[in-house]
Amino acid sequence: MSRSLAWRRVLPFLALMILVALNLRPALSSLAPMLIRIQQALGLSADAIGILTTLPVLCLGIFAPLAPWLTRRLGAERTLSLALLLLAASLLVRANASVTLLYLGTIGAGAAIGIAGTLLPALVKRELPRGADLVTGVYTMALCLGGALGAGFSVPLADAFGDWRLSLGSWAGLALLALIAWRWRMPHPWPATDDAPRRGPRVRVFRQALAWQVTGYMGSQSALAYIVFGWLPALLQKRGLGEAEAGWLLAASVMGQLITALGAPWLGRLGRDQRPTILILLTCTAAGIVTLLQAPLEWRWAGVMLLGLGQGGSFSMALTLIVLRSATAQLAGKLSSMVQGIGYAIAALGPLLVGILIGRTDNLTVITLALLGFVLAAALCALLAGRRRQLDLDDHGRLITRHQ
């Protein structure tokens, strides 16, 4: 294939990937700045609000393993279309004063994001195998931008519409736009031609220690990410900040993630392995947490930037490790399913724990220590997952871990 023809294929895929990725965080981040408003409007308890922030993260883990199963039957392209349709419908259902529909819509949105988020790393490995780690940084940057849009505009939209429900439901428009573009520009063969998982040998990545190390890192750093998405505005409001400013601080933190989301995979390539890069990023995350929750409020902007720089790169490296630690697109899909399925189930414990702590105590020191515990867990997993290892198949089709 000539270079010009290759770029004609690559550029549309990159644009579509970015558009899809923009949809995978607003459903989560748009809720956080309005938690107190929703709690007061619906008369929810602190525990009920805690469950509301935990549900979508838990669904990411529960429904992520559906992605490879659906891909074998429908193809990757149709599966992603189905996930985008489910996301749009769920966001509309969630925009409701009914507590039942609010929770059902939240579950549906989490399921859709879990399926789509699991598919994309494997699609990147399939479409762009040589630069998959760097392209993953672009994908992560789009995820962060979507999170920033959700956090920054949820309160202004609610004020403009005069109703928090319309603010939450408005994000369905972005999901429909992505669905239309994906259906229009990406071939949807039928019957599905993406049958590599059927032809390939049956492999069980969960038997490899390396897969569990990457999963542990994904789970612990994602717990921090969803604590920030779900609870940072509420925690800042407890420190005396207003609803709108707390939302903009979350948005600023997520915007800060754009820098390291794109740069961390490139930086990780420079050394023999990814451990130094990840540990530097986790140090930034810890410094941001302490600054925001313990230091004087005058330092809050420095705190959100430190937090954003740390978390954007940490998540980007988690997705990059899925690509770097798998030798083929098939293995990347299987590893992605495990890492995101089990990892997000672990991550759901983070918002739940913070919700329980907020309902039991106003002591921010206790909450700070809990968050630093997740940072420590992520660092310990990174020391193992960041080494130069890769899942591959030997000459007999058996799954092994190669030293690179």
Side-chain angles (χ1 to χ4, degrees), residues 71-103:
T71 298
R72 287 195 296 270
R73 286 154 179 80
L74 303 177
E77 292 80 7
R78 289 180 181 273
T79 300
L80 189 54
S81 292
L82 180 64
L84 289 170
L85 180 61
L86 175 60
L87 178 60
S90 299
L91 289 173
L92 291 174
V93 169
R94 188 178 72 166
N96 201 295
S98 164
V99 175
T100 301
L101 292 179
L102 175 67
Y103 279 87

Side-chain angles (χ1 to χ4, degrees), residues 242-372:
E243 181 184 55
E245 184 180 5
W248 281 114
L249 282 167
L250 174 59
S253 176
V254 179
M255 286 297 291
Q257 294 181 17
L258 299 179
I259 301 170
T260 49
L262 185 59
W266 176 82
L267 186 61
R269 273 189 169 192
L270 297 180
R272 286 184 53 81
D273 56 43
Q274 289 72 50
R275 287 176 292 183
T277 299
I278 296 174
L279 292 177
I280 290 171
L281 292 166
L282 290 174
T283 301
C284 287
T285 300
I289 291 169
V290 173
T291 302
L292 281 171
L293 299 185
Q294 300 297 321
L297 283 176
E298 288 77 11
W299 296 5
R300 61 189 181 277
W301 288 101
V304 295
M305 290 310 298
L306 280 170
L307 182 62
L309 291 172
Q311 290 199 297
S314 295
F315 180 62
S316 184
M317 290 306 301
L319 294 179
T320 299
L321 288 179
I322 294 174
V323 173
L324 292 179
R325 298 298 173 258
S326 49
T328 67
Q330 177 195 347
L331 289 175
K334 289 182 175 294
L335 183 60
S336 179
S337 176
M338 174 182 172
V339 168
Q340 298 197 58
I342 299 176
Y344 285 135
I346 296 171
L349 298 175
L352 180 62
L353 173 62
V354 172
I356 292 172
L357 290 176
I358 289 176
R360 304 294 186 272
T361 180
D362 289 326
N363 190 337
L364 288 179
T365 301
V366 174
I367 296 173
T368 302
L369 291 174
L371 268 59
L372 292 178

Side-chain angles (χ1 to χ4, degrees), residues 365-388:
T365 301
V366 174
I367 296 173
T368 302
L369 291 174
L371 268 59
L372 292 178
F374 284 109
V375 176
L376 178 60
L380 293 175
C381 292
L383 289 174
L384 298 172
R387 298 173 298 172
R388 292 176 64 88

